[in-house]
Amino acid sequence: MFKNIVLTTRQKEETIDVTPLIEEVVRESGFKEAGVFVYVPHSDAAINIQGIAQNPSSSNPPLNRLLKKVLEEGQDFQTPEVGAAFVAPTEVLIALEGKLMLGEGQRVYFYEFNGPRQCNLYVLVIPSA
């Protein structure tokens, strides 16, 4: 099952927790066991799996601190495309019993580096044999 999720970003640089959107695609697929491929078809946006921030009331994932530091200090990291390449355009997950197999506290984050705009997030759910 393939689904294109259209995201609307509101800031030049923004991080969005897309875990619930991907979980919904997995539920819609009806597959009990599957590979879940998530791809961002933009050179200036990315996707990443990581644990939630240490402060549960913060929606700011830990990678954001590192990215801010690298993007502000590194002269070579001044373009949105370099920021996106630093994170990556693709993640692969596993679904079991119709649910994503994420570790405790893990979430899937979409990274915008050149907003605001509409972006695509492709999700492909392939059942196991």
Side-chain angles (χ1 to χ4, degrees), residues 10-48:
R10 304 196 187 300
Q11 301 172 30
K12 178 155 179 64
E13 295 177 1
E14 186 175 355
T15 306
I16 302 170
D17 181 348
V18 293
T19 310
L21 301 173
I22 297 167
E23 289 173 331
E24 179 60 27
V25 175
V26 170
R27 274 192 298 278
E28 286 176 15
S29 77
F31 302 138
K32 294 296 178 196
E33 295 180 359
V36 182
F37 300 84
V38 183
Y39 175 66
V40 176
H42 303 282
S43 62
D44 48 6
I47 196 84
N48 184 260

Side-chain angles (χ1 to χ4, degrees), residues 40-59:
V40 176
H42 303 282
S43 62
D44 48 6
I47 196 84
N48 184 260
I49 300 170
Q50 59 183 297
I52 57 174
Q54 289 181 356
N55 177 359
S57 65
S58 170
S59 63

Side-chain angles (χ1 to χ4, degrees), residues 50-106:
Q50 59 183 297
I52 57 174
Q54 289 181 356
N55 177 359
S57 65
S58 170
S59 63
N60 202 10
L63 181 60
N64 281 15
R65 290 188 300 275
L66 173 63
L67 281 175
K68 282 279 186 209
K69 186 173 184 173
V70 169
L71 294 175
E72 288 172 1
E73 292 180 7
Q75 297 230 342
D76 293 340
F77 290 95
Q78 297 303 314
T79 65
E81 292 81 10
V82 175
F86 189 73
V87 180
T90 308
E91 286 290 353
V92 178
L93 300 111
I94 298 170
L96 185 61
E97 299 301 322
K99 296 181 181 181
L100 291 178
M101 292 185 66
L102 291 169
E104 186 177 337
Q106 283 187 319

Side-chain angles (χ1 to χ4, degrees), residues 96-117:
L96 185 61
E97 299 301 322
K99 296 181 181 181
L100 291 178
M101 292 185 66
L102 291 169
E104 186 177 337
Q106 283 187 319
R107 307 296 289 174
V108 183
Y109 293 97
F110 174 86
Y111 281 82
E112 168 67 271
F113 293 99
N114 200 25
R117 63 183 171 161

